């Protein structure tokens, strides 16, 4: 997801009435289609590299 897609997704989420969570981008990576699919499928699982805020 590039920055424009992230902005669009954020605005769509706000429009749908969902609440955003604070996050900090610490690293940008490039992934091929398979790597991104694996990442997306695993995103909702607890990850040690994602710190919960607040």
């Amino acid at each position: 997801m590039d920055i424009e897609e992230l902005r669009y997704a954020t605005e769509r989420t706000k429009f749908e009435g969902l609440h955003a969570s604070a996050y900090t981008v610490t690293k940008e990576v490039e992934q091929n289609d398979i790597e991104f699919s694996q990442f997306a499928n695993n995103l909702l699982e607890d990850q040690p590299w994602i710190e919960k805020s607040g």
Side-chain angles (χ1 to χ4, degrees):
M1 178 178 291
D2 66 24
I3 192 68
E4 291 304 319
E5 291 171 320
L6 180 58
R7 288 179 180 146
Y8 173 76
T10 301
E11 289 304 314
R12 189 180 69 225
T13 299
K14 288 179 184 177
F15 178 76
E16 293 173 358
L18 301 173
H19 298 284
S21 300
Y23 61 89
T24 302
V25 176
T26 59
K27 183 177 180 181
E28 184 175 332
V29 297
E30 291 187 24
Q31 298 178 320
N32 64 34
D33 291 342
I34 293 171
E35 291 168 331
F36 180 76
S37 179
Q38 291 170 339
F39 170 77
N41 288 333
N42 199 23
L43 185 61
L44 297 178
E45 300 295 323
D46 286 340
Q47 301 294 332
W49 49 269
I50 298 177
E51 296 179 15
K52 295 182 180 181
S53 62

